[in-house]
Amino acid sequence: MTHQVHIIGGGMAGSEAAWQLARRGIRVRLSEMRGANLPGGGDRTAAHNSDGLAELVCSNSFRSDDDEKNAVGLLHYEMRQCDSLLMAAAAKARVPAGSALAVDRDVFSAEVEAMLAAQPTLEIVRERVDVLPTDGLTIVATGPLTAPALASSIGAATGADSLAFFDAIAPIVYRDSINMDVAWMASRWDKGAEASLAMGGDGRDYINCPMTRPQYEAFREELLAGDKTEFKEWEASTPYFDGCMPIEVMAARGVETLRFGPMKPVGLDNPHWATAEHPNGRWPYAVVQLRQDNKLGTLWNMVGFQTKLKHAEQVRVFRTIPGLEQAEFARLGGLHRNTFLNSPTLLDRQLRLKSAPHIRFAGQITGCEGYVESGAVGLLAGLMTAAQVAGRDWSAPPRTSALGALLSHITGDAEAETYQPMNVNFGLFPPPDPSTKKKQRKEAYTARAKADLAGWLPALG
């Protein structure tokens, strides 16, 4: 099949872009280097564990699904309105997680791959691409772990060094190794109970491991003292992305930092500590939460526990957590280096490389951060390219929408000199009417976005 568009990279962004193009009858070649025992394949990154398309590397959560008060939930809504592949696959792979959208990783990846494989105009090829194509419409969606040869080719084309930061991965624990005589099931403030029940959960979607003050303070000291991954000389000055900061780095910022971050105990009554005076139990001094990671409920990930501790130290230190004394780990945490472009300088408003406009970039390599944001930029790249193939003028999504705000930030609104990875947030949106009350601002953002998006959708074709 002679392709009209070549997509390099089968992650979140590349898969979404391929879907948006193929469902419009456009012939697409999707190149993915991960493919063991296949011609030209077999390569792996430092973070991937499988050859599946759209593999979720860090968390299994797409974060909040609240489209009335949360920017990422609004982005979910907008992607669904655009017939998003990723949102459709997530619906089939969803696992209980309160008000969050979390999925079974394996089911999600399999759904994405099956839906793409069913498209007659899409060819999935397991091959490594080492240089940027010199002609032909191309979308580069190789993510933050772009292979060295292609990264060098991109560097030569952009004339600028890529920026870099570190991402850390959280461990995953086998459910049957958690001591439920100490831990208990609950969602904070029972938030998301309705969504949980609709998903087959019971409204108590997190496993909570409680700590007293002495236990917390001792645990923090263990995090600080634990043996950690050593950086190479060239990595020493590389910063972390704040949204994926290692737990021990947070611990080093202050004694109470973890208690106001991933280990905050508020809204969680420990029933094991119930008394006649407090029949529902009491809040712990700190808590470690675990979230379901697969549909079977056999795997649970440690929320916010990204780490650069060495593997043996992870086992030792994390088994000091009450309830995890005998924990068995399906996967231990890790650390990988990410790269991204200074997109506000290098890309135009249609994600095209200014020095080579036949090439678009999409996903985390553009400097967006997060699964959903990566997929959203892939969706936009696919829609832009589809319009170009059809000979139609591209109409950008409204600046007031989550899609439009994210795209605007990446392609010029951000300050180029200080450009860093960014999750979608209401700070990227134009402010609502000044008369809007503070408590109603989030609803004002989302209501305006939905109304403006509805007017834009017919232009997609």
Side-chain angles (χ1 to χ4, degrees):
M1 178 176 65
T2 302
H3 60 269
Q4 296 167 282
V5 180
H6 186 191
I7 299 177
I8 306 173
M12 302 290 281
S15 295
E16 185 68 63
W19 170 259
Q20 295 296 331
L21 287 160
R23 64 180 291 271
R24 289 170 169 79
I26 296 169
R27 298 187 303 278
V28 179
R29 181 185 185 92
L30 176 59
S31 298
E32 169 53 54
M33 74 175 186
R34 290 175 296 121
N37 303 318
L38 294 174
D43 283 341
R44 291 280 180 86
T45 71
H48 287 89
N49 293 313
S50 78
D51 303 322
L53 299 182
E55 179 188 343
L56 304 183
V57 172
C58 298
S59 170
N60 72 319
S61 174
F62 293 156
R63 314 194 315 279
S64 175
D65 203 34
D66 180 355
D67 60 19
E68 294 184 353
K69 296 182 180 180
N70 189 283
V72 73
L74 175 62
L75 190 56
H76 292 178
Y77 168 88
E78 295 182 8
M79 291 175 70
R80 290 176 179 127
Q81 298 304 301
C82 296
D83 188 27
S84 165
L85 165 71
L86 302 182
M87 289 295 104
K92 295 181 179 180
R94 191 166 187 170
V95 297
S99 60
L101 173 58
V103 300
D104 181 307
R105 301 165 193 266
D106 295 334
V107 174
F108 175 78
S109 177
E111 285 290 339
V112 168
E113 192 151 347
M115 293 172 73
L116 289 176
Q119 295 298 308
T121 62
L122 174 62
E123 180 184 18
I124 301 172
V125 184
R126 300 292 180 160
E127 61 182 358
R128 191 182 68 230
V129 178
D130 289 336
V131 295
L132 289 175
T134 56
D135 57 18
L137 292 178
T138 303
I139 298 175
V140 178
T142 48
L145 295 173
T146 300
L150 183 58
S152 295
S153 180
I154 293 170
T158 59
D161 293 334
S162 292
L163 301 175
F165 67 99
F166 277 118
D167 250 356
I169 301 172
I172 294 176
V173 178
Y174 288 106
R175 170 66 173 79
D176 61 8
S177 70
I178 301 172
N179 182 2
M180 297 305 294
D181 290 334
V182 174
W184 82 101
M185 300 285 298
S187 293
R188 198 181 309 277
W189 303 114
D190 294 325
K191 185 177 180 181
E194 184 176 339
S196 169
L197 292 169
M199 284 302 304
D202 62 2
R204 302 175 300 158
D205 293 338
Y206 293 82
I207 293 176
N208 302 280
C209 299
M211 286 187 179
T212 62
R213 181 170 183 168
Q215 288 171 331
Y216 169 78
E217 292 175 347
F219 177 70
R220 177 177 175 271
E221 290 300 319
E222 290 285 3
L223 288 177
L224 297 177
D227 196 11
K228 301 169 184 70
T229 302
E230 296 181 3
F231 294 137
K232 298 180 175 64
E233 183 178 352
W234 59 269
E235 297 174 318
S237 61
T238 304
Y240 295 104
F241 171 60
D242 281 348
C244 211
M245 183 170 291
I247 190 79
E248 61 276 3
V249 174
M250 282 188 276
R253 290 187 167 186
V255 174
E256 296 290 283
T257 301
L258 293 176
R259 292 187 64 244
F260 288 91
M263 296 180 68
K264 62 184 177 184
V266 296
L268 292 167
D269 291 319
N270 182 358
H272 298 307
W273 294 354
T275 64
E277 184 180 1
H278 301 287
N280 294 325
R282 300 289 285 167
W283 293 358
Y285 187 77
V287 68
V288 175
Q289 289 197 302
L290 295 93
R291 178 178 56 228
Q292 186 173 331
D293 202 82
N294 66 344
K295 277 189 173 293
L296 292 175
T298 56
L299 300 177
W300 290 68
N301 67 68
M302 299 176 68
V303 178
F305 266 61
Q306 303 85 215
T307 183
K308 62 174 182 173
L309 287 171
K310 290 186 176 180
H311 284 182
E313 283 291 79
Q314 290 180 48
V315 174
R316 183 185 69 81
V317 174
F318 294 155
R319 282 181 176 170
T320 68
I321 297 170
L324 300 185
E325 299 89 347
Q326 303 297 322
E328 296 294 334
F329 296 88
R331 184 191 72 187
L332 290 164
L335 190 72
H336 58 271
R337 186 177 187 265
N338 287 347
T339 58
F340 61 97
L341 298 173
N342 193 324
S343 296
T345 299
L346 299 172
L347 305 183
D348 69 11
R349 291 290 185 174
Q350 291 195 39
L351 298 169
R352 293 176 297 204
L353 188 60
K354 293 176 182 178
S355 61
H358 65 286
I359 298 174
R360 281 186 170 88
F361 284 86
Q364 284 185 265
I365 197 170
T366 66
C368 67
E369 176 59 25
Y371 296 142
V372 182
E373 291 86 342
S374 180
V377 177
L379 182 150
L380 290 168
L383 293 175
M384 292 168 179
T385 308
Q388 186 173 350
V389 171
R392 291 185 287 104
D393 289 336
W394 163 251
S395 174
R399 180 71 174 78
T400 53
S401 67
L403 287 168
L406 187 62
L407 177 64
S408 296
H409 176 78
I410 290 170
T411 59
D413 287 4
E415 180 60 49
E417 291 185 3
T418 57
Y419 187 58
Q420 287 289 314
M422 178 69 72
N423 292 120
V424 68
N425 63 83
F426 288 129
L428 304 182
F429 292 59
D433 188 293
S435 64
T436 305
K437 294 181 180 179
K438 185 175 181 180
K439 290 184 178 180
Q440 299 173 338
R441 287 176 69 86
K442 292 179 179 179
E443 291 92 334
Y445 278 119
T446 58
R448 181 184 62 181
K450 291 176 182 179
D452 291 350
L453 187 81
W456 172 73
L457 290 173
L460 294 184

